[in-house]
Amino acid sequence: MLYAILGRDAPDSLAQRRAARPAHLERLRALLADGRLVIAGPLPAIDAPDPGPAGFTGSLIVAEFVSLEAARAWADADPYVTQGVFASVEVRPYLKVLP
């Protein structure tokens, strides 16, 4: 089943985000290689493709996992969680309708 993972950045966490990004992307690439990643990306703090020092407010990931518990465990082990980028993470079942 698909699950939406919504991480919300902690205040002033842009430096931590930049430091944790390579390890975070490595985990996403593993999901992609397994054919389980639907979409992933950051949520800019301002209406711009490159928010610069304004940074980000969080990230959205939609991927396939065997269970809600597995999706939560994957999210909890993400570098953005373990290195203090995300202040909170919400994991919910997701039903893709389009496209």
Side-chain angles (χ1 to χ4, degrees):
M1 176 147 183
L2 294 177
Y3 294 90
I5 301 169
L6 179 60
R8 298 189 188 277
D9 284 18
D12 302 314
S13 62
L14 185 56
Q16 293 100 311
R17 177 182 270 273
R18 288 180 176 149
R21 188 170 191 261
H24 171 74
L25 291 178
E26 183 178 325
R27 295 181 85 234
L28 291 172
R29 285 186 187 106
L31 288 177
L32 182 63
D34 289 344
R36 298 170 43 206
L37 184 64
V38 175
I39 193 167
L43 306 171
I46 60 174
D47 188 12
D50 180 359
F56 302 90
T57 61
S59 295
L60 173 66
I61 299 164
V62 176
E64 183 179 349
F65 294 92
V66 297
S67 67
L68 180 58
E69 293 76 21
R72 285 184 178 144
W74 187 93
D76 288 345
D78 192 82
Y80 279 5
V81 172
T82 62
Q83 295 184 34
V85 176
F86 290 157
S88 66
V89 177
E90 185 176 355
V91 181
R92 298 206 170 248
Y94 177 80
L95 297 176
K96 183 179 175 186
V97 175
L98 294 171

